[in-house]
Amino acid sequence: MKIILTNEVSGLGTAGDIVEVKDGYARNYLVPRGFAIRWTKGGQKDVDAIRRARKIHEIQTLEQANEVKGKLEGLNVKLAVRAGDAGRLFGSVTPSDVVAAIKAVDGPLVDKRRVEIGSPIKTTGAHTVTVKLLSDVVAKINVDVVAA
């Protein structure tokens, strides 16, 4: 089945790509979750709109990526979360939490899909989180998790 990706799917492609996948994968996973739409002849307009939107929000050059990396690595990100007496969190820190903390300290806009947390953050203290801006530009952010 031919589909048009509306979001980035690892191992398959990025938003706006037209790919061929098995019928069940498209029907049961990609389409219901909003990762893709069925391909039609009129769908080319949708593809163009998705690509234009992606181009506006995406970091396009190496200079832009290095500039954003410098801003990110210079930030002092503090994340207040609910924690127990021993410093263990109720749950764990998600990429969305990290993006919200970056935004709170007036950092650059970062897509939550670009934030990579190595091992789950379940304790208070200093942790390192990576943000993959381009394939060869990776920013390392120090996140200080404190009990709220």
Side-chain angles (χ1 to χ4, degrees):
M1 172 184 288
K2 267 188 173 179
I3 57 168
I4 301 168
L5 295 176
T6 56
N7 288 322
E8 183 176 344
V9 178
S10 62
L12 199 54
T14 59
D17 290 348
I18 299 172
V19 294
E20 183 81 27
V21 295
K22 301 239 179 191
D23 292 349
Y25 183 48
R27 192 173 46 246
N28 297 326
Y29 182 75
L30 295 173
V31 174
R33 286 173 176 77
F35 294 142
I37 55 174
R38 292 177 188 255
W39 180 86
T40 59
K41 289 183 182 180
Q44 189 62 38
K45 289 186 279 183
D46 293 337
V47 170
D48 294 338
I50 291 169
R51 286 186 179 157
R52 274 195 307 272
R54 185 177 72 192
K55 193 174 220 178
I56 290 171
H57 296 294
E58 202 172 68
I59 296 173
Q60 289 142 354
T61 64
L62 188 61
E63 292 83 27
Q64 283 179 328
N66 285 327
E67 181 181 328
V68 172
K69 177 183 176 182
K71 288 179 183 177
L72 285 174
E73 289 180 344
L75 290 177
N76 188 9
V77 179
K78 194 172 266 192
L79 185 60
V81 294
R82 289 185 48 212
D85 294 334
R88 286 199 45 87
L89 305 183
F90 297 123
S92 63
V93 175
T94 64
S96 297
D97 296 334
V98 173
V99 169
I102 291 170
K103 188 176 180 183
V105 294
D106 295 327
L109 291 175
V110 176
D111 186 12
K112 69 179 180 182
R113 293 178 296 235
R114 302 280 182 201
V115 176
E116 297 174 352
I117 300 174
S119 59
I121 298 174
K122 296 186 176 200
T123 59
T124 58
H127 299 277
T128 302
V129 175
T130 59
V131 179
K132 191 171 185 179
L133 300 170
L134 287 178
S135 60
D136 56 342
V137 179
V138 177
K140 294 191 182 291
I141 304 172
N142 292 320
V143 178
D144 189 26
V145 180
V146 295

